[in-house]
Structures are given as structure tokens and as C-alpha cells.
Amino acid sequence: MSFIPIPADCDFTLANIPFGVFSTATNAAPRPCTAVGAHVLDLSILSSTVFPQVLKMDSAAKICESLRSTTLNAFASLGKEARVAVRNAVLEVTKNGSQWQGEVEKAMVRMADAKMHLPMEIGDYTDFYAGKNHAFNIGTLFRGPANALQPNYIHLPVGYHGRASTVVVSGTPIKRPLGQTCPPTNATPNFDQCQKLDIELELACYVALPSEMGTPVDIEEAESHIFGYSLMNDWSARDIQAWEYVPLGPFNAKNFGTTVGAWIVTDEALEGFRTAAIENSAETLPYLREERRRGKGVFDMELEVLVKPTGGNDFSKLFTVNAKNLLFSFPQMIAHHTITGCAMRTGDLLGSGTISGEDKTSVGSFLEATQNGKEDVDIGGVKRKWLEDGDEVLLRGHAGSGEGRVGFGECAGTILPANWGRWAKVQGQQKA
Amino acid sequence: MSFIPIPADCDFTLANIPFGVFSTATNAAPRPCTAVGAHVLDLSILSSTVFPQVLKMDSAAKICESLRSTTLNAFASLGKEARVAVRNAVLEVTKNGSQWQGEVEKAMVRMADAKMHLPMEIGDYTDFYAGKNHAFNIGTLFRGPANALQPNYIHLPVGYHGRASTVVVSGTPIKRPLGQTCPPTNATPNFDQCQKLDIELELACYVALPSEMGTPVDIEEAESHIFGYSLMNDWSARDIQAWEYVPLGPFNAKNFGTTVGAWIVTDEALEGFRTAAIENSAETLPYLREERRRGKGVFDMELEVLVKPTGGNDFSKLFTVNAKNLLFSFPQMIAHHTITGCAMRTGDLLGSGTISGEDKTSVGSFLEATQNGKEDVDIGGVKRKWLEDGDEVLLRGHAGSGEGRVGFGECAGTILPANWGRWAKVQGQQKA
């Protein structure tokens, strides 16, 4: 179908057409791109050569200009019509026999030669907690199954504001955080490096259309505010979290790093994989009832967690989770987030919360898999309760197969040793 | 001392020289300014006319360029040396007999003609909870005095990530939020407008120098990362908060609006008002011990809350609180915030948390003054438990007196009715 070769089991088929931002050794300026097979297509080039002729709409010049930017914010802010137009233009100019093949080839870069960047300038980052199985597993661990879910859980998408300054793109190393921990046997807290370093397997969405302060986004309009979806790993320091989080929620346990995949996959690509979210036993309030997408609020996608332990040669697949395991959809999260009048800006990032299935190999965190460090996880023969320095974590996710496969690519990060600085001397006895 | 008149009891004496961003009816471009008496001085003009001759340093051109921007971020990122140089230059060119009087007068705008803007582009906004008396008052209200403070409270500056998209400058109206509430007598939540709308009287600081992800800011360096201080009102929906905040902290109860004063007052201006924070019964961990400022971590400033009830003619002073009532200083908050390696960016905003004194008229919230709505507050003969639509809130704060007075100006906001939209029909019976 395309003159660009598409390897087997590739996330970037012609059914996908995701958006990202890349640079190369010969051109260090970050610029928008899409991915087809094992190639990146430079949209800043196409927007100067091919798109002005292919895009048949009044806003063509504006769309092309938005693609000559260092982030996807300007393009995203143009909304669905522009996004669909560019998607269709990419499909047209890359097909077999395309009159534009010569121009397209000038915009092709092998993926191995592309350095990927954070795709959007993120204003605010919010993390929800909509993975009901995850919330139930965690609640059971700390309060038992009868009180696992808080009374509010089924009525609203619980969430908290996260830290935008440390959202990084796949491949960025993560330093083990320092902080305060206070095991139950302690009278006073320790200063230590995190001993319970964990992952959180999440989906995320980016905001395309902004909303004004004081004006809630109606649930039926919420989907139109979404630019697309990405994989996310919300690294978590469980021992720091346990000591700090009452009463105002997680803070230092989360703010040291959050990794997003480099590719934003659009609703257009995922449309065919819509399915029902976890059934809610509560009748949701009207502002959270989406008629348009009723029964189709989430995506039937297989998400995976792989780890290569330090010194090892191979990644082992630890967990496989279906992305549909959410109690609330992203449009519901947006409707809830803005019901107070909270303003959304183009580029805002919303995480789903950790997604887990219903059994122990279908979880999105070590916290669940090891029962808070009481059991081992086997990684190709290596035992782990939590992540160690040098461990490499890789999240993947896709829907469909063959020519219809739509995937996120990789969301990867390696753990680096803690940065003790002068505190190694001051509190050497506490250093691991 | 200056040819610019300075009225009695003015916050903007020659001891102050705060920084802000303003525009005028005739020039709508936001630009940096300072305040002297009842006038704004346009620093973008002075940086083109007077400062190139007055600033005697290699970085003069860079400083001048930073002052021809739409925010203070570029200027703040140059650090203390640049800030002090501009402060001294303002003092020099505005003094009696200054050879620059003619040029300065061209840069003077009456404060009444200046429209003030958010002074910095805020990356992330974090709100702490360091007002120990406030935390004790709230804890006592919900758990009794014996368990008022959580075990972690005295060991670390408790904080949470806030919402940057709704931080607004003084004078911006605040719409009453809608949301979910669930009084203890309810089996399921209501959808309603907030019935317990409150203020939070806080100090805030802005980050000048950034720090890199993975590199904690040393406590002895933390103060150098601060640009200056401002008043802040972290509007709070107490009924929404009560239902949502377990386990991940306040979210919708806070994200509808946070008002900051228009003026950023520098450390140079407040230097003489340093005093001791509330004594901590715990020995803090070394990463939170600041030797440089030991015993002088906070400011001896009088903060005030005034309210003009809807339909009224006058503001009444409700509460007076000394700003020194904090358990942790801003440098301690920064050291804690970054100990995990969390990155700081120029323009990040950190709130102290609500500041309260030790008696009922010395509080920073209605929650404390009315004991969660059980008692009345008298506002010039008008009774209030919480804020009503049309109420105007005014925070003020200053240190010193006469020619040495240093103040923040106003941090004001008026409550507008909720934006019910189509939900007024759907749930009309629940509308107040």
C-alpha cells in the first residue's frame, strides 16, 4: 500500500500515523514528525513542499505553519479537522505510485537516526486513579478487601495534580530519588535513597483545545479537547510516599520523574478499538454521563511491562494488561477536572492512573506484583522486589495486528544511582 | 529623598522597589515595571533610555534586554546580581536632583492607569502547608487536639502540587465552582455549587534560578533560587474538598482559582524584617538545616484579610496574622521539593500554606474562624459562615512603617455566581 516498507509486528502501520517531535545529528532543531514503518517523516519538510498542494482547505497555510514549530502545541490547538487533514495527506503522499514519492523520500529519516523529544510543551500534568483493579489491589493491600475502595471512588475520577517540570520523553534516565522514609518501626524518619522504587503503567492523553477558566467542558464536548494518547510510566517511590502522603497526597514520591512515550496516537487511529470501560456500580452524576460514547469510552489495547535487570542481556515480559481496565474514560476525567471551572491549556497532560487487570501477572506496578515487597518477581531468573540501579524498564502497547496494528512504540527508562552529593558524608551510615 | 511623591502608609516606598508587569490603555503590551509611591515605573522604557548608562556591569545589555519582555522570567533568571543592580539603578535615577528625572518622568504611569498582569509565566505551582497554627487548627477541628498534626508534619514541609493554569493576578473575579459534595447524612453525592467557599491567606515565592532534574538544591543555596515574595489567596471549596481528598489530596477543591498579588517583593527589601520561624520540636534532618539563616528564616510582616460583603460599601478587617507563623522557611521548602531531584524552573510558584496565628481573629481562613461553619464571622454587621456571591476579598501585607514600609499592595478577588450551564436544568432541584 505504501512505498515505505512496514516491517511485521510494527506499531507504525498506515493505520496509525502518530505524531511526535524529533531532531537529527545534522539538524538539531526539534520539529514535528510522524512514523511509518521504521522511518520518521519530517512534517516540517512536508509542510513546506508537499502539503501546501495536497491540503485542500482554507486553513492549509495555517496548518503548514503549525508544523514548522518545535512542539506539537500549535498543530494540536487547530483541533480535529486539521489533525485528520494531515493524517489523510500523509496517507495520500506515501501510497504506492504517489506522485510525491520523491519529495516524501527527502523527508524520510531512519528511526535509528532520529532523536525523539517531548512532543508537547506541557502546561499542567494531572494524574488520575481510574484503574479500578489497581485501586482495589492497593486498597486491599493496606486496608483489606472490604474497605479497599474509598467511598468517593466510584462516583468521581479521583486525581491529583502532578509535576510538569519532570515529565520526560522515553529514553531519559531516571535517578533514584533521595528523601524521607519512616518504616513503622522507626520513631523518627530516615534520610535515605528510595528503597522501594516502582513503576506505574498508564495511558495518558494530551489536551488539544483549551478551555477557559470558569467554563466547565461539557462531557459531550470533552473528547474534542483531546489531541491523542500516549504511554506513560509514573515512576513512584513507595517508601517516600507511605510517609508523606497523609493528608495532602503524593508529592516527592512522584515528582522526580514521569516518562511518556515519544508518540501520540490519535483518536482517528484508535477509533476501531473502542470498547466498554469497567462497569460502574454507581449511577454517575449527569455531568459525567457521556451519551456519545456510551459503552465505548476506553480502548481495547494490550499493554506490556518489560524489564532488563542490570547486567542482563534481555528484556523479560513481566506484566500484560488490557488498557480497557478503567472505571472512567478520558472525556469523563476532563469533564470532572473542569467542572469547577479549572482551565485547560493546549499540551496539558492527563494520566489514567495505573492500569491493572484482575490477576497477579496483569498488574501495572511492582507494589501489586510483590505485595508491597513481600514476594519476588522473577525477571528471567533474576529476583526483584523493587527496581535496582541499572534496571531498564520498557512499556509497550498496541491494538490490532498486521496491517491494522496501531501501537505507541516504546516508553523506556533506566534507573541511575541516587545523587547523594554532600549528604553521603553527613549521613553515610544511612546510605545503602 | 525622591522626586516621586510617596503618600503616607504607602507599601511602595524607596525601601521596597518591587517588580511587576503592567500595560496601559495606550500600550496593551505587558511589560516589566516597579512601583514608587502611587506610580508605576515602566522598566522597559528605562532599560532603553537610562539603564544602559546607569548599569555599570558587563551584563548591563543582557539585563536591559530581559526588561523588554512580557514577563519577569528572563529578568529573574539572571539572579540576584541583576536584581540588585536594577534595584540600585531605580533608587539612583529616582532620587531628588537626579540628572535622569526627565527620562524617568517619561516612564511614570499613575497606578490607577496601569493594568497589572500575572508577573511571571508559571511553570509549576506547589502549595505547602507550613503554617503550623493553621494545620493545628484544622487538625483539631477534624481529629481533636491530641491528633491534630500528622506524624510527618514536624519532620518535613508537607505540600502538594497545585494547578498553574488557574493562577490569576489580583483583581480577577473568581466564579463559584460546581462539583460533587457529600454531606455525612448522604448515601450518594450531590452535584451542587460550592456551599463552603473559603479563602486561604498565604505568602508565596517565585523561583528565579532553575535547577536540573536529578540534582537537589542544597539548603544553603536554596535562597539564591528565589526571585521574591507575593501575597496569595488559595481559594478553597471546603465541601468539595471534604468529599474528594482521601486518598490523593485536594484536587477540584483548589483548581478553580488561586489569586496572587501583582507585586513581587524581593529579599533585598525584606532583609531587615527577617525573624525566627515557629520553633520545631523535632530535630530536622540535615538536608533541611539552613545554617546561613538559622533563626531568621521567615519575615515579620503583618498580613490582613478584609472583606466587603455583597451590597456593602466598605471593607472590614476580619483577620490579622503575622507572616512569621510558619514551621518551615521557603528555602527549606525548596530543599525538600528538590531532594528527590525534582526540577525547578524560573517562574515556578511556591505557596507557604495558610498562615494563622494563635487566636481566633488571627487566622487565614473562614474554616478556622467559623469552626467549619458552626459559628458566624461578623463583617461590619453582616454575618457570614462562608463567602457569598458578590463578596469582595482583599489581602494586604506589609512590614515596617513610614519611609521604611515595605508592602505587597493588594491581592483582591470578587466572587461571581456559579456557571451552571446546562446542568441548571438537569439538576435544577439541587441548585441553591
Side-chain angles (χ1 to χ4, degrees):
Chain A
M1 290 173 72
S2 171
F3 59 84
I4 304 175
I6 299 177
D9 294 330
C10 179
D11 280 354
F12 309 115
T13 66
L14 297 175
N16 195 346
I17 316 297
F19 294 99
V21 169
F22 85 116
S23 66
T24 49
T26 52
N27 181 355
R31 50 212 193 265
C33 61
T34 186
V36 177
H39 285 84
V40 157
L41 287 193
D42 186 332
L43 295 177
S44 76
I45 292 181
L46 295 181
S47 71
S48 299
T49 55
V50 174
F51 288 170
Q53 299 176 69
V54 175
L55 292 172
K56 312 277 192 222
M57 55 212 297
D58 291 344
S59 56
K62 202 170 183 180
I63 293 173
C64 289
E65 192 195 332
S66 77
L67 293 171
R68 293 188 289 266
S69 178
T70 58
T71 68
L72 292 168
N73 291 53
F75 174 56
S77 73
L78 300 178
K80 187 181 179 91
E81 192 192 25
R83 199 170 67 231
V84 170
V86 170
R87 174 187 177 81
N88 289 340
V90 169
L91 290 173
E92 183 180 339
V93 303
T94 58
K95 71 184 176 196
N96 272 331
S98 159
Q99 63 175 298
W100 311 102
Q101 181 165 346
E103 295 296 339
V104 171
E105 283 171 349
K106 290 180 196 161
M108 282 171 64
V109 174
R110 288 186 313 165
M111 224 169 243
D113 298 331
K115 175 181 159 64
M116 301 303 297
H117 297 265
L118 203 59
M120 300 195 78
E121 186 185 343
I122 298 166
D124 281 288
Y125 155 48
T126 300
D127 201 18
F128 284 90
Y129 193 52
K132 189 186 175 192
N133 298 321
H134 169 75
F136 181 81
N137 291 344
I138 302 300
T140 300
L141 203 51
F142 295 109
R143 291 182 300 275
N147 301 303
L149 298 178
Q150 301 289 347
N152 57 19
Y153 189 82
I154 56 175
H155 295 287
L156 56 83
V158 170
Y160 66 101
H161 301 115
R163 181 79 190 177
S165 71
T166 48
V167 177
V168 294
V169 74
S170 176
T172 309
I174 299 291
K175 271 188 205 152
R176 180 180 300 276
L178 299 176
Q180 289 195 26
T181 62
C182 196
T185 50
N186 272 39
T188 56
N190 296 331
F191 180 71
D192 200 355
Q193 59 182 16
C194 170
Q195 305 284 356
K196 294 186 172 184
L197 187 53
D198 200 357
I199 60 158
E200 293 200 329
L201 169 66
E202 305 196 19
L203 277 194
C205 80
Y206 289 89
V207 170
L209 304 181
S211 68
E212 283 191 15
M213 181 170 159
T215 304
V217 174
D218 191 286
I219 181 73
E220 300 297 345
E221 301 293 327
E223 191 181 293
S224 73
H225 286 258
I226 296 174
F227 178 59
Y229 307 88
S230 170
L231 279 177
M232 189 167 99
N233 183 353
D234 193 35
W235 308 92
S236 297
R238 299 300 180 191
D239 42 1
I240 293 171
Q241 186 172 354
W243 170 234
E244 76 174 359
Y245 90 104
V246 176
L248 300 185
F251 179 60
N252 273 359
K254 302 283 191 171
N255 69 15
F256 61 95
T258 303
T259 303
V260 288
W263 296 103
I264 301 178
V265 175
T266 65
D267 207 62
E268 291 72 56
L270 291 174
E271 184 67 35
F273 305 105
R274 288 191 163 275
T275 189
I278 293 175
E279 200 178 345
N280 197 333
S281 58
E283 189 185 19
T284 50
L285 285 161
Y287 81 99
L288 291 174
R289 280 183 220 149
E290 192 185 17
E291 297 301 332
R292 239 185 110 222
R293 292 293 193 187
R294 186 169 291 259
K296 299 274 185 184
V298 297
F299 303 108
D300 184 2
M301 302 186 76
E302 191 171 279
L303 310 180
E304 300 172 339
V305 178
L306 299 93
V307 174
K308 183 165 81 174
T310 182
N313 294 315
D314 299 306
F315 281 95
S316 294
K317 194 188 295 184
L318 301 190
F319 317 128
T320 304
V321 185
N322 194 299
K324 71 184 177 186
N325 284 292
L326 295 171
L327 188 63
F328 293 100
S329 68
F330 282 111
Q332 287 178 308
M333 295 179 213
I334 290 173
H336 181 68
H337 203 319
T338 62
I339 189 63
T340 52
C342 181
M344 287 281 150
R345 294 180 290 188
T346 301
D348 284 347
L349 179 69
L350 281 68
S352 62
T354 311
I355 310 180
S356 296
E358 295 186 344
D359 62 72
K360 203 185 282 186
T361 61
S362 172
V363 295
S365 69
F366 280 71
L367 179 61
E368 293 160 270
T370 70
Q371 295 288 297
N372 195 19
K374 286 195 281 292
E375 299 171 16
D376 284 321
V377 166
D378 181 278
I379 312 179
V382 176
K383 303 286 185 198
R384 281 282 184 280
K385 293 188 193 318
W386 307 101
L387 293 171
E388 296 192 2
D389 293 350
D391 285 354
E392 293 181 51
V393 178
L394 178 60
L395 311 185
R396 294 193 303 215
H398 76 278
S401 61
E403 289 180 358
R405 180 171 166 135
V406 173
F408 291 114
E410 301 187 345
C411 179
T414 300
I415 304 302
L416 299 184
N419 186 358
W420 277 85
R422 73 175 169 114
W423 307 120
K425 285 184 196 162
V426 173
Q427 295 197 300
Q429 78 287 357
Q430 288 188 357
K431 190 175 170 186
Chain B
M1 290 173 71
S2 170
F3 59 82
I4 304 174
I6 299 177
D9 294 330
C10 179
D11 280 352
F12 308 114
T13 65
L14 297 176
N16 195 346
I17 316 297
F19 295 99
V21 169
F22 85 114
S23 66
T24 49
T26 52
N27 181 356
R31 51 213 194 261
C33 61
T34 185
V36 177
H39 285 84
V40 158
L41 286 193
D42 186 332
L43 295 178
S44 76
I45 291 181
L46 294 180
S47 71
S48 299
T49 54
V50 174
F51 288 169
Q53 299 175 70
V54 174
L55 291 173
K56 310 278 191 220
M57 56 211 299
D58 291 345
S59 56
K62 204 169 181 181
I63 293 171
C64 289
E65 192 194 332
S66 77
L67 292 170
R68 294 190 287 267
S69 180
T70 57
T71 68
L72 292 168
N73 291 53
F75 174 56
S77 73
L78 300 177
K80 186 180 179 90
E81 193 193 25
R83 199 170 68 231
V84 171
V86 170
R87 173 186 177 82
N88 290 339
V90 169
L91 290 173
E92 183 180 339
V93 303
T94 57
K95 69 185 177 194
N96 272 331
S98 160
Q99 63 176 297
W100 311 104
Q101 181 166 346
E103 294 296 338
V104 171
E105 283 172 348
K106 291 180 194 160
M108 282 172 63
V109 174
R110 289 187 313 165
M111 223 169 244
D113 298 332
K115 173 180 161 64
M116 301 305 295
H117 298 265
L118 203 58
M120 301 194 77
E121 186 185 342
I122 297 166
D124 281 289
Y125 154 48
T126 300
D127 201 18
F128 285 90
Y129 193 51
K132 189 185 174 193
N133 299 322
H134 169 74
F136 181 81
N137 291 344
I138 301 301
T140 300
L141 203 51
F142 293 109
R143 290 182 300 274
N147 302 302
L149 298 178
Q150 301 289 346
N152 57 18
Y153 188 82
I154 57 176
H155 295 287
L156 55 84
V158 170
Y160 66 100
H161 302 116
R163 181 80 190 176
S165 71
T166 47
V167 177
V168 294
V169 73
S170 176
T172 309
I174 299 292
K175 271 188 205 154
R176 180 178 300 274
L178 299 176
Q180 288 195 25
T181 61
C182 195
T185 48
N186 271 40
T188 56
N190 296 332
F191 180 71
D192 201 355
Q193 60 182 15
C194 171
Q195 305 284 355
K196 293 186 171 185
L197 188 53
D198 199 357
I199 61 158
E200 293 200 330
L201 169 66
E202 305 196 20
L203 275 194
C205 81
Y206 289 90
V207 171
L209 305 181
S211 69
E212 284 192 14
M213 181 170 159
T215 305
V217 174
D218 191 285
I219 181 73
E220 300 297 346
E221 301 292 328
E223 190 181 292
S224 72
H225 286 258
I226 297 174
F227 178 59
Y229 306 89
S230 170
L231 279 176
M232 189 166 98
N233 183 353
D234 193 35
W235 306 91
S236 297
R238 301 298 182 192
D239 41 1
I240 293 172
Q241 186 171 353
W243 170 234
E244 76 173 0
Y245 91 106
V246 177
L248 300 185
F251 179 61
N252 273 1
K254 302 283 190 170
N255 68 15
F256 61 96
T258 303
T259 303
V260 288
W263 296 103
I264 301 178
V265 176
T266 66
D267 206 62
E268 290 72 56
L270 291 173
E271 185 67 35
F273 305 105
R274 287 190 164 276
T275 189
I278 293 175
E279 199 178 347
N280 197 331
S281 58
E283 188 186 19
T284 50
L285 284 161
Y287 82 97
L288 291 175
R289 280 183 219 148
E290 192 184 17
E291 297 302 331
R292 241 185 110 224
R293 293 292 194 188
R294 185 168 292 259
K296 298 275 187 184
V298 297
F299 303 109
D300 183 4
M301 303 186 76
E302 191 171 280
L303 310 181
E304 300 172 339
V305 177
L306 300 93
V307 174
K308 183 165 82 174
T310 182
N313 293 317
D314 299 306
F315 281 95
S316 295
K317 194 188 296 186
L318 300 190
F319 317 128
T320 304
V321 185
N322 194 299
K324 70 183 178 187
N325 285 294
L326 296 171
L327 188 63
F328 293 100
S329 68
F330 281 111
Q332 288 179 307
M333 296 177 213
I334 290 174
H336 181 68
H337 204 318
T338 62
I339 190 62
T340 52
C342 182
M344 288 281 150
R345 294 179 291 188
T346 302
D348 284 347
L349 179 69
L350 281 68
S352 62
T354 311
I355 310 180
S356 295
E358 295 186 344
D359 63 71
K360 204 185 280 188
T361 61
S362 172
V363 294
S365 69
F366 280 71
L367 179 59
E368 294 161 90
T370 69
Q371 295 289 296
N372 194 18
K374 286 195 279 292
E375 299 171 17
D376 284 321
V377 166
D378 181 278
I379 312 178
V382 176
K383 305 286 186 198
R384 281 282 183 280
K385 295 189 192 314
W386 307 100
L387 293 170
E388 296 192 2
D389 293 350
D391 285 355
E392 292 181 52
V393 177
L394 178 61
L395 311 186
R396 293 194 304 214
H398 76 279
S401 61
E403 290 181 358
R405 180 171 166 134
V406 173
F408 291 114
E410 299 187 345
C411 179
T414 299
I415 305 302
L416 299 185
N419 185 356
W420 277 85
R422 73 173 168 116
W423 306 121
K425 283 184 195 161
V426 174
Q427 296 197 299
Q429 78 286 356
Q430 289 187 353
K431 190 174 168 181

